[in-house]
Amino acid sequence: MNNKNELEPTKILNSYLEEKGLRKTQERYLILDEIYKKNDHFDIESLYQLIIKKQKISKATIYNTIDILIELKLIKKHSFLNKTLYEKSFQKKQHNHLICNDCDKVLEFCDPRIQNIINSIESSMNFVVAEHSLNFYGKCNDPKKCKKI
Ligand SMILES: [Zn+2]
Ligand SMILES: [Zn+2]
């Protein structure tokens, strides 16, 4: 785990576990690894299904590691209507989401006008925005793939 080529998120997790005196179990690194291989938004169940194919793991370990990764800002937790999804967040650009009500697909978009809105709200309301989330719900235009799984 200690070579120069290791990914930055791995280093961050590594020093956190050392600092807190937590065990550096291989499972925790595997979870981080799988998350960073993904490019989409995922729920705990699908992450569990992915990892269990490779190695025996408990859901408790996944939940527990997810909490650590959120604290380290290596992943971000989203609440989309009644679903909780996560995504990797290390060096990821601020973005917003489009969520398809029919197939649960999540698309991302960036629009600089949103920053303009934030700037003008900050000055007119005398408020400092630390974070925001903006989600649009609707239907994706992908009739072939737009099916509930
Ligand atoms: Zn996203
Ligand atoms: Zn869809």
Side-chain angles (χ1 to χ4, degrees), residues 1 31 107:
M1 284 289 166
I31 292 167
L107 300 164

Side-chain angles (χ1 to χ4, degrees), residues 24-125:
K24 294 205 232 166
T25 57
Q26 187 245 333
E27 285 96 333
R28 288 187 162 132
Y29 294 97
L30 179 66
I31 292 167
L32 181 66
D33 229 56
E34 289 301 330
I35 291 173
Y36 270 77
K37 274 193 231 156
K38 290 168 98 51
N39 282 316
D40 53 355
H41 305 74
F42 58 91
D43 60 11
I44 300 271
E45 184 59 31
S46 67
L47 182 65
Y48 172 74
Q49 293 303 335
L50 193 75
I51 294 173
I52 198 77
K53 278 186 212 147
K54 299 181 182 178
Q55 124 155 33
K56 208 167 169 280
I57 197 159
S58 73
K59 279 194 188 166
T61 304
I62 294 188
Y63 276 106
N64 177 288
T65 305
I66 287 277
D67 284 343
I68 292 173
L69 298 179
I70 291 171
E71 192 182 330
L72 292 173
K73 293 191 174 9
L74 291 175
I75 59 172
K76 205 164 162 33
K77 181 180 183 174
H78 298 288
S79 300
F80 295 140
L81 289 182
N82 50 3
K83 277 191 104 170
T84 301
L85 298 180
Y86 303 82
E87 68 176 315
K88 61 185 175 187
S89 56
F90 182 72
Q91 288 182 342
K92 196 162 173 176
K93 252 182 97 178
Q94 169 71 257
H95 61 270
N96 299 289
H97 296 102
L98 306 172
I99 300 110
C100 178
N101 287 329
D102 288 347
C103 70
D104 295 339
K105 190 186 295 169
V106 179
L107 300 164
E108 297 181 342
F109 71 94
C110 292
D111 190 320
R113 285 173 296 180
I114 293 163
Q115 190 55 48
N116 296 341
I117 295 171
I118 293 171
N119 294 345
S120 92
I121 288 170
E122 284 186 319
S123 58
S124 68
M125 303 288 289

